[in-house]
Amino acid sequence: MQDLEIYVRDLEAGGVSQWLGNHLDELELDDSDVSSVMKGSALYDGTRIRITLYPGAFGKRYTSLVIEGDALPWNSDLDCARSAWRSMDTEIRCSSGEWQEGQPVEDEKWWRLDKRGEQLVVWN
């Protein structure tokens, strides 16, 4: 099982389903109300994947999007974030993948994708 996780700033209703609808088959996700946890599913390459949205991640402005399955349309969180940014045109963040257990969390770098480009930043 693989998983991808990105964080969408100021997620608009319908934004995720519109974006994922271009990459997945049989998408079942009602994101018309983005104020509470939403669960959905879809098919990718003939296999079922799970989609979960968690609003209020890292403060009220971000929604965590987790996509889980045996086969996924993107190879990394950053590839997924790039695709989401092109579609939703709002700030997207994802882990750089460099943090390791035992390191201070406040030193962890995240990819931030927005109109300024792609940058590694500390979350705050």
Side-chain angles (χ1 to χ4, degrees), residues 16-17 20 24-31 36-43 47-54 64-69 72:
V16 172
S17 59
L20 289 178
L24 304 171
D25 297 319
E26 297 182 27
L27 177 64
E28 296 176 14
L29 178 69
D30 180 4
D31 61 342
S36 61
V37 174
M38 287 155 276
K39 293 185 180 280
S41 65
L43 288 179
T47 61
R48 178 86 31 213
I49 64 170
R50 293 191 310 263
I51 304 157
T52 310
L53 293 166
Y54 300 98
S64 169
L65 166 62
V66 179
I67 304 171
E68 301 169 293
L72 300 173

Side-chain angles (χ1 to χ4, degrees), residues 3-4 10 22 26-27 35 42 45 56 72-73 81 117 124:
D3 74 324
L4 298 170
D10 300 329
N22 293 319
E26 297 182 27
L27 177 64
S35 65
D45 204 21
L72 300 173
N124 297 330

Side-chain angles (χ1 to χ4, degrees), residues 29-94:
L29 178 69
D30 180 4
D31 61 342
S32 58
D33 175 8
V34 293
S35 65
S36 61
V37 174
M38 287 155 276
K39 293 185 180 280
S41 65
L43 288 179
Y44 178 72
D45 204 21
T47 61
R48 178 86 31 213
I49 64 170
R50 293 191 310 263
I51 304 157
T52 310
L53 293 166
Y54 300 98
F58 286 97
K60 296 178 182 176
R61 298 193 74 176
Y62 290 89
T63 298
S64 169
L65 166 62
V66 179
I67 304 171
E68 301 169 293
D70 291 331
L72 300 173
W74 302 281
N75 293 321
S76 69
D77 291 345
L78 183 56
D79 289 342
C80 182
R82 287 173 174 148
S83 177
W85 185 81
R86 283 191 296 270
S87 176
M88 291 188 256
D89 194 28
T90 187
E91 182 180 308
I92 308 288
R93 293 190 182 194
C94 68

